[in-house]
Amino acid sequence: MKALRFGRHAAIAVIAAGALALTACGSDQVTGAAPAGSQSAGPKVTGTLTGIGSSAQGAAMDAWKTAFAAANQGATVQYSPDGSGAGRKALLDGSAQFGGSDAYLKDEEYASSKTICGPDGALNIPVYISPIAIAFNLPGITELKLDAATVAKIFRGEIATWNDPAIAALNEGVSLPDLKVTPVNRSDDSGTTTNFTDYLAAAAPEVWTEKAAGIWPATLQGENAKGTSGVVKTVTDTPGAVTYADDSAVSGKLGVAQIKVGGSFTKISADAAAKAVDAGKAVEGRSANDLSIKLDRKTSIEGAYPIVLVSFHVVCSTYDKQETVDLVKAFENYVVSEEGQQAAADSAKSAPLSSALAEKATKAIESIKVKS
């Protein structure tokens, strides 16, 4: 699952070619469709596809939209990174044709989706795997070692300064400053928050007593900001601040923590995130083509990084129009393709889907059809 790296211009050329080929995955009713078995690129799709959701997917979505539009003149994908909660809501109320979400639909959301998506409801299709970084602003320090309990205490406000004994014990030899700890959380309903609090609730239950949720606990003090870019900017501008954010958005002067897994500490990376996802299990009670994944936050697998998000495109199993079905299938088939996943890896440091997961995603996408 190690992502290959290559030049940006070469990548775009390969991506565009791959996206062009993948448009053949749309309906065979599209005007100008090539005969079955043809080796040509197949039909192109046109129209506008509207999505709302995860800001963590932002960099990957920019790459996907550009390559898909280049291969399909007349086709446009619009995406507003308003947060995972907004994305799920938009899909469920019909104001968007797909939602981007860093958390799969809750049981009640899945039940509600049957109203607009038909009897099989919505499909959660994994498209983007990325580790969530614990990013901090400590002048001169670019890396720290933390365990789950210490992370939970930091974000609960129970650790006041960076030279606290709990942090010092994990970082022998590091000169920690007597600087105030300022935790920064997301102010919006966020899938990143859901994944982060899910990790804390599972890995440090004796400290983090709240349930996993997309909205930060109102009882906890600290700074807050909207979206991934908002929390990263706040931490960048505030010495002593710390946040949780998609690793692709963390750069510049911010340091990143290693996380204790089993008896050792794991550095954040795409490969480490992929190991954690591979240990996940399917969520029960969903349709046969739904690919919701329950992660094992307490994994002891060496080299796995458990603070990871699997970001989904939430799509309907049925749509009102064939044109919409064709456009959704063409775009999503490109996104989960090897080319699409490489585009995300190059632009956002994400981990490509495993071949087995990509195959399941393709099967799920192909099941989308027009309402009968």
Side-chain angles (χ1 to χ4, degrees):
M1 294 242 320
K2 190 172 182 178
L4 300 174
R5 303 288 175 181
F6 46 89
R8 180 172 179 82
H9 296 297
I12 291 297
V14 172
I15 294 163
L20 182 60
L22 280 160
T23 57
C25 294
S27 168
D28 59 6
Q29 298 177 26
V30 178
T31 303
S38 170
Q39 297 302 306
S40 70
K44 296 184 180 182
V45 291
T46 59
T48 300
L49 188 63
T50 300
I52 295 173
S54 164
S55 59
Q57 287 187 32
M61 279 297 305
D62 286 343
W64 290 333
K65 291 188 303 180
T66 299
F68 185 73
N72 294 274
Q73 298 300 319
T76 303
V77 178
Q78 299 176 341
Y79 186 78
S80 182
D82 297 337
S84 296
R88 296 194 303 275
K89 181 178 182 296
L91 187 279
L92 296 176
D93 68 21
S95 58
Q97 292 154 324
F98 74 96
S101 179
D102 303 334
Y104 54 80
L105 292 180
K106 301 172 186 175
D107 288 344
E108 58 270 27
E109 290 174 325
Y110 172 65
S112 176
S113 74
K114 295 180 181 181
T115 300
I116 192 167
C117 294
D120 287 337
L123 303 176
N124 296 271
I125 300 174
V127 296
Y128 178 84
I129 297 171
S130 182
I132 298 171
I134 307 300
F136 54 84
N137 182 347
L138 292 178
I141 299 177
T142 59
E143 201 167 66
L144 287 176
K145 295 177 179 178
L146 298 174
D147 59 19
T150 304
V151 173
K153 290 176 182 178
I154 287 172
F155 282 91
R156 290 189 67 85
E158 296 177 8
I159 290 180
T161 61
W162 283 101
N163 62 351
D164 184 277
I167 299 176
L170 298 170
N171 293 275
E172 186 177 352
V174 178
S175 181
L176 296 167
D178 184 13
L179 181 65
K180 178 185 176 182
V181 175
T182 302
V184 181
N185 61 266
R186 290 279 290 268
S187 62
D188 50 324
D189 186 346
S190 161
T192 307
T193 300
T194 300
N195 280 273
F196 181 55
T197 56
D198 186 48
Y199 164 73
L200 294 177
E206 70 286 353
V207 179
W208 194 266
T209 54
E210 290 81 6
K211 293 181 179 180
I215 298 176
W216 191 256
T219 56
L220 301 182
Q221 297 182 349
E223 300 294 324
N224 63 72
K226 184 177 181 180
T228 301
S229 60
V231 294
V232 170
K233 183 179 188 305
T234 299
V235 174
T236 302
D237 295 342
T238 310
V242 58
T243 194
Y244 55 95
D246 187 271
D247 187 43
S248 67
V250 178
S251 60
K253 64 182 180 182
L254 299 187
V256 174
Q258 296 181 35
I259 298 299
K260 191 172 185 180
V261 176
S264 59
F265 291 87
T266 301
K267 289 187 176 182
I268 194 167
S269 71
D271 285 350
K275 278 190 176 183
V277 173
D278 283 347
K281 305 294 183 183
V283 174
E284 297 180 353
R286 304 300 171 95
S287 69
N289 289 305
D290 184 80
L291 297 177
S292 302
I293 300 171
K294 178 65 176 176
L295 299 171
D296 179 8
R297 303 296 188 180
K298 296 187 291 184
T299 181
S300 59
I301 296 175
E302 184 177 355
Y305 185 87
I307 317 177
V308 60
L309 65 82
V310 179
S311 201
F312 301 86
H313 279 177
V314 186
V315 300
C316 278
S317 54
T318 63
Y319 289 90
D320 289 331
K321 298 180 180 179
Q322 184 68 53
E323 292 81 1
T324 305
V325 170
D326 294 337
L327 193 55
V328 170
K329 290 170 73 170
F331 179 63
E332 298 300 343
N333 267 311
Y334 163 61
V335 167
V336 303
S337 72
E338 184 177 350
E339 293 81 7
Q341 289 295 295
Q342 187 64 61
D346 289 339
S347 63
K349 299 191 292 184
S350 60
L353 301 179
S354 67
S355 57
L357 188 53
E359 184 177 346
K360 291 178 182 178
T362 300
K363 180 181 177 182
I365 293 164
E366 285 305 306
S367 74
I368 299 170
K369 59 186 179 181
V370 176
K371 290 180 180 178
S372 56

